[in-house]
Amino acid sequence: MNDFNTWLDPLPLVAILRGLHPDEAPAVGDALVVAGFRILEVPLNSPRPLESIRRLVDRYGSERLVGAGTVLDPARVREIADAGGRIVVMPHADVAVIRAAKQAGLYCVPGVATPTEAFAALAAGADALKLFPAEQASPAVLKAWHAVLPAGTAVLPVGGIAPDTMAPWLAAGAAGFGIGSSLYAPGRAADDVGARAQAFAQAWRRHFDSQGYSA
């Protein structure tokens, strides 16, 4: 399996499609792909999430990293893998779920809110860390974490991220972001999702252009 960080290049934004209906998956997925999104997450508390995962996997194959979010039970990992999912994202840092994901050969990005949780998750095999909820932390907190986390640890803030709030997090060392309701919400038209996705992608590129190099 390729290193997870390869999926963060060139656009390290995870589309969190909470509430996605399987019938919406192709159009919404296409809108995101056109904008450059490479990682698509269907939370398990969505309608028939495994069917949506299957449809996205069938549509994009290995060209996109598709999987499940809000994975709370290690028993669900096998179902996700059977549906073709290749990534497990969690709101918490249950090491049993992390280990189940790694044993199944899947990437795993658990949610952490403290350094204690971050180190425990990494020790269990986490491929990256989801700083959640980001509203509870700050860029200063992330910068402090990076002073002690292993070099190269990818941390993705999730929660309340908007195109115009990304820059301070990036300056503090964020490797990318998970984007939820500001990108997709149930019933939102695919064209609207696509426009929002483009706004996020442009904000990411503007930040790196301002630093004098391309993402």
Side-chain angles (χ1 to χ4, degrees), residues 39-168:
I39 307 175
L40 310 180
E41 169 196 333
V42 182
L44 290 184
N45 56 357
S46 303
R48 308 206 308 273
L50 297 176
E51 184 177 341
S52 289
I53 290 170
R54 287 190 190 94
R55 291 193 182 193
L56 292 170
V57 170
D58 288 347
R59 196 167 186 84
Y60 308 118
S62 62
E63 296 301 312
R64 294 295 182 271
L65 184 61
V66 178
T70 316
V71 182
L72 306 179
D73 184 345
R76 301 301 303 273
V77 170
R78 178 45 57 192
E79 298 175 12
I80 296 162
D82 289 346
R86 292 187 289 153
I87 182 171
V88 164
V89 184
M90 308 150 56
H92 62 337
D94 185 340
V95 296
V97 178
I98 299 170
R99 289 172 180 151
K102 298 314 298 176
Q103 289 168 1
L106 309 185
Y107 293 113
C108 188
V109 182
V112 298
T114 68
T116 298
E117 292 177 343
F119 279 104
L122 291 171
D127 295 286
L129 301 174
K130 167 183 170 179
L131 176 54
F132 178 78
E135 298 98 327
Q136 180 177 291
S138 68
V141 167
L142 177 58
K143 184 176 180 180
W145 281 22
H146 274 303
V148 296
L149 289 174
T153 300
V155 182
L156 289 76
V158 178
I161 303 300
D164 60 357
T165 63
M166 292 166 60

